[in-house]
Amino acid sequence: MTTDEPADRPVRHLRLRGWIAPIAVVTLLMALLATMYLAYVVNPTKNLHDFPVALVNQDDGDVLGDKPANVGNQITEALVANLPSDKIDLHVVGFAEAQRQLRQGHAYGAIVIPSDFTKRLAILGAAGVVPGAVEQPVITVHTNPRAGSFATAVMQRIADEALSRVDETVGKQLIDTVHARLQPSPGTPGTELAGASQLMLAHPIQVVVAPYRPLPDGTGQGLSAFFYTLLVLLAGFTGAMTIHSMTDSALGFAPTEYGPWYVHYPSAPISRFRTLLLKWAILAITAPIVSALFLGVATLLDVPLDHPLALFLYCVLAILAVGVTALSVLAAFGTAGLLVNLILFIVLGLPSSGGTVPIEATPEYFAWLATFEPMHQVFLGVRSILYFNANGAAGLYRGTGMAVLGLAIGLLGGAVVTRFYDRKGLQRKPAVAAQSGR
């Protein structure tokens, strides 16, 4: 028994799918974009977690109020106890270790209490009643501008809030000590503390903010590494998209259309695996050309490039890793691979890169994404070369290792999938041609 259907029913059905599918895909994609990008930036203070800060206490102590004291130890204990451990990863270390962490980008800042802190505090207390020149005790806050401008701002805010409380507490302690010393002996007139002295002693600490190894001009205040990374990701991602579409057009697997000009060549007798090899070969030729182009433009714009060869080679590797993987995804998923690549390399990659807002100031699931998202790995390598003297421990080792791993996964995955399709006889043919060939 056969059922006659209206001739236009498949067309009407196709039209309905043609409306619903793109609307649904675009809506879901934009929902993901909104969730990722707004969560990334709207509330960094609330999202703060594991923000690495070094604390150095060099105070030798002194006599304060006729008693031995070490105010640096008291401040250290207060900071360790009061700074929220779920937000700030505070490490009490020596000065040399703090410098190492700053040089390698492992700390976003350091709070340094000098060796003469208690001594200066005692002198300041005595100066409240004794004439003479005096200097305030100093606590230095070293920011790390090479770790990012936003990280610097967060570090300054943390230091301002924590040290303002320390200043008030130490000031109250100092005033009480001075008042105790001014208590008159029986039968002698008392000495009053002058108002100006009380004002000075109430806030005795001078906080000095000093950038550690400030960035030179031409770095965009720490943003040039992020935008260089973005260029590299786009070179691999959009390069793969372009190579994929243009090669398929030349081989007759897709139409070629430029304005009113349209042509669809006959399909070439080439396997999926050999097609992918051809695309990889084109990418391999393109990657060093594009990397050299980026380097040339950066040189013309006076971007500081202390290690141009390392930057060139690393970017070639990163472009290959991203591009090879993107081409393999397209070979495996076809048209749907466009969305997969967009989500993998851009939608999830940009907010988890750490290039503008540090990972430690974003929701914690971004930290999980940053363990494998390509943009974060590339950013670590580029930032290490541009800002941290190509120090391997500052991110270059990780960036290089992850790029090699990504390249290997892309090569292996693409080869396995396309060879599987070829062995199954899943040729790239139009539906009519495929049916007639049975």
Side-chain angles (χ1 to χ4, degrees), residues 147-433:
S149 57
F150 200 94
T152 296
V154 173
M155 178 63 202
Q156 287 178 324
R157 183 162 61 249
I158 291 171
D160 287 344
E161 294 175 358
L163 294 181
S164 63
R165 292 193 296 268
V166 167
D167 186 40
E168 292 175 3
T169 302
V170 172
K172 185 177 183 303
Q173 177 184 349
L174 186 60
I175 289 177
D176 291 343
T177 301
V178 173
H179 276 308
R181 293 183 62 187
L182 293 178
Q183 288 295 324
S185 302
T188 60
T191 303
E192 293 291 333
L193 189 61
S197 297
Q198 290 194 47
L199 185 62
M200 172 64 74
L201 295 178
H203 299 283
I205 301 174
Q206 179 184 1
V207 177
V208 175
V209 178
Y212 182 79
R213 297 180 67 222
L215 285 166
D217 292 336
T219 57
Q221 296 183 340
L223 289 175
S224 62
F226 168 70
F227 283 100
Y228 208 104
T229 299
L230 190 59
L231 286 173
V232 172
L233 259 291
L234 289 175
F237 169 69
T238 60
M241 303 298 107
T242 304
I243 291 169
H244 172 76
S245 60
M246 294 186 72
T247 304
D248 277 357
S249 295
L251 294 176
F253 297 125
T256 302
E257 186 174 8
Y258 296 104
W261 184 70
Y262 175 94
V263 63
H264 193 170
Y265 298 110
S267 298
I270 184 173
S271 67
R272 290 174 180 265
F273 178 61
R274 289 179 58 199
T275 302
L276 183 59
L277 287 179
L278 177 60
K279 294 174 181 178
W280 284 345
I282 296 172
L283 177 69
I285 296 171
T286 306
I289 297 173
V290 172
S291 182
L293 176 66
F294 289 163
L295 202 62
V297 172
T299 302
L300 290 175
L301 295 176
D302 295 324
V303 176
L305 299 171
D306 296 330
H307 302 276
L309 179 60
L311 185 62
F312 167 76
L313 294 174
Y314 178 74
C315 290
V316 170
L317 175 62
I319 292 171
L320 284 173
V322 172
V324 163
T325 303
L327 286 170
S328 296
V329 169
L330 288 167
F333 297 102
T335 303
L338 295 170
L339 281 177
V340 175
N341 283 331
L342 179 63
I343 292 171
L344 174 64
F345 294 111
I346 304 299
V347 176
L348 300 180
L350 198 149
S352 63
S353 68
T356 51
V357 179
I359 297 297
E360 294 82 3
T362 60
E364 293 196 34
Y365 57 84
F366 284 104
W368 174 74
L369 286 173
T371 60
F372 62 87
E373 266 297 322
M375 187 175 289
H376 181 65
Q377 322 310 322
V378 176
F379 171 71
L380 291 177
V382 171
R383 187 185 67 172
S384 173
I385 295 170
L386 289 179
Y387 300 161
F388 292 101
N389 201 32
N391 189 320
L396 186 55
Y397 288 156
R398 178 179 174 83
T400 302
M402 292 298 284
V404 171
L405 178 61
L407 179 59
I409 291 174
L411 290 171
L412 181 62
V416 169
V417 170
T418 52
R419 291 297 295 270
F420 173 77
Y421 289 166
D422 287 336
R423 288 188 178 184
K424 288 291 183 179
L426 302 173
Q427 301 178 17
R428 302 178 72 187
K429 293 181 179 179
V432 174

